[in-house]
Structure formats: C-alpha cells, structure tokens
Amino acid sequence: MDDPLAAFAYAFVTLFIILHPLLVVPTFLGLTRGYRTEEKTRQATIATAVAGGLLFTFLIFGSLIFDILGITLPSFEVAGGVLLLIVGMQQALGIEYTPPEGGQQQNIGVIVGTPLICGPGSITTAILLSTKLGILVTVPAVLLCLVLTWLTLRYADVIQQALGETISGVMTDVFGMVLAALAVTLIAEGVDGLR
C-alpha cells in the first residue's frame, strides 16, 4: 500500500480482529469472578503484557526465523491464511477455548494473554503485516491494539453490561466471518506468489 495511513488502518483493523479483545471479555470475567477491582486490573495488565511480549518477539525475530528455516513469504501467507481461516471459522461457529479448571490466580493473566488474546493466528498476522507493510507501520498498530486490549479488559464489567449476550454473540459471528475473508485473501495472494 502506498498510502501510510491506509496501511496503518489495514494493519490495525486486521490485528484488532485477530486479537479480538471484546470476545475475551466473558471469559476474562468468568476467570476473575469474585476478584477485587485492583486484582482484575493487575490480571488485565499481565494478560496484555504477555500478548504484547509474544507479538513483539515475533515482530523482531520473524524475518530471522524465515531466513534460518528457508521459508518464503508466499508459503507463509498460504500457511498463515489456512490457520486464520480455521480461527475465523471457530469464531463464526462459536467454538470457544476453555481454560483448564483449577488454574491458580496468578496464571489467569497468562491464560488470557495466550492463547486467548495472542495465539498462533495473532503471531502469524503480525509477521505477515510486518513483512508486507513494514515494521514502522505494524509496530504502532500493535501498540494501539494492545492499549485498546488493556482498556477492554480493565473495563470488562462495563462492556459486558453495555453489550449484553445477544450483541456479543453477533459480534463474534461477524468478526469470525471478516477474519475468514481476510484469510482467503492471504491464501490467494500466497498461491499467486508461489506460481
């Protein structure tokens, strides 16, 4: 993309959809039920830090990993597109990740940070965006997404009350379909690049 603003908007929207902090709200509230506001805030901070740490690790070392393993961008686009398609279908069909029972309090932020917020799909998306659009576009988009993710978790109670179960369900379906459409685009671009 020649327009930096359009590239940033594309990166931000793509990352926000794959990180889907709004869809994590019910799980986060369930895992932190009975916690004081201060502890919920701490767990939101841990979750965001874990997700951010993973994303930036792969943003920095993604190209090096590509070079070491001999992976080309088109092949990664196809593989990443297939992975995102699966994640999108899971969201659209309402297949949710269920954390193991009996998790200790200090692990809740880690569980929410990965794989709920930052899973393989998020890592794949970050690497693809940095390779295609450049690190200077992707890093600010990641930072903005992380800030919004923290705010979403911090005010999860308010958001859940405002949205309600019906709207949350509709958003899950729509986000899943959009993510699946982005995945098909990635697969098509990858296949075209492999020719």
Side-chain angles (χ1 to χ4, degrees):
M1 293 184 181
D2 295 330
D3 184 2
L5 190 58
F8 171 79
Y10 175 80
F12 167 72
V13 170
T14 303
L15 283 166
F16 190 77
I17 288 172
I18 189 67
L19 291 175
H20 56 73
L22 291 173
L23 306 183
V24 178
V25 164
T27 305
F28 180 75
L29 289 176
L31 291 171
T32 57
R33 185 174 288 117
Y35 287 7
R36 291 177 301 172
T37 303
E38 297 79 14
E39 183 57 29
K40 285 185 179 182
T41 301
R42 191 175 84 84
Q43 295 299 336
T45 303
I46 292 171
T48 306
V50 168
L54 282 171
L55 285 173
F56 281 113
T57 297
F58 279 92
L59 274 175
I60 294 168
F61 298 109
S63 296
L64 180 62
I65 294 169
F66 275 22
D67 293 340
I68 291 172
L69 298 177
I71 299 172
T72 62
L73 179 60
S75 63
F76 196 75
E77 282 181 320
V78 173
V82 171
L83 184 61
L84 291 180
L85 182 60
I86 293 169
V87 173
M89 289 174 66
Q90 286 178 325
Q91 287 184 20
L93 296 174
I95 302 170
E96 297 180 4
Y97 169 79
T98 304
E101 292 184 10
Q104 296 186 2
Q105 178 171 310
Q106 62 266 26
N107 294 330
I108 288 174
V110 177
I111 291 169
V112 174
T114 183
L116 289 181
I117 294 174
C118 182
S122 307
I123 292 168
T124 301
T125 302
I127 293 174
L128 287 172
L129 288 172
S130 66
T131 306
K132 291 177 67 176
L133 303 177
I135 201 85
L136 295 178
V137 171
T138 309
V139 167
V142 170
L143 287 172
L144 181 57
C145 283
L146 290 173
V147 168
L148 291 176
T149 297
W150 183 84
L151 289 171
T152 300
L153 296 179
R154 170 64 182 81
Y155 297 102
D157 293 306
V158 177
I159 291 170
Q160 181 69 9
Q161 287 179 345
L163 292 179
E165 290 185 16
T166 303
I167 295 176
S168 294
V170 171
M171 286 179 64
T172 301
D173 294 344
V174 171
F175 274 30
M177 287 187 290
V178 171
L179 189 56
L182 286 169
V184 171
T185 302
L186 279 176
I187 294 170
E189 289 178 1
V191 169
D192 190 51
L194 288 172
R195 290 180 185 172

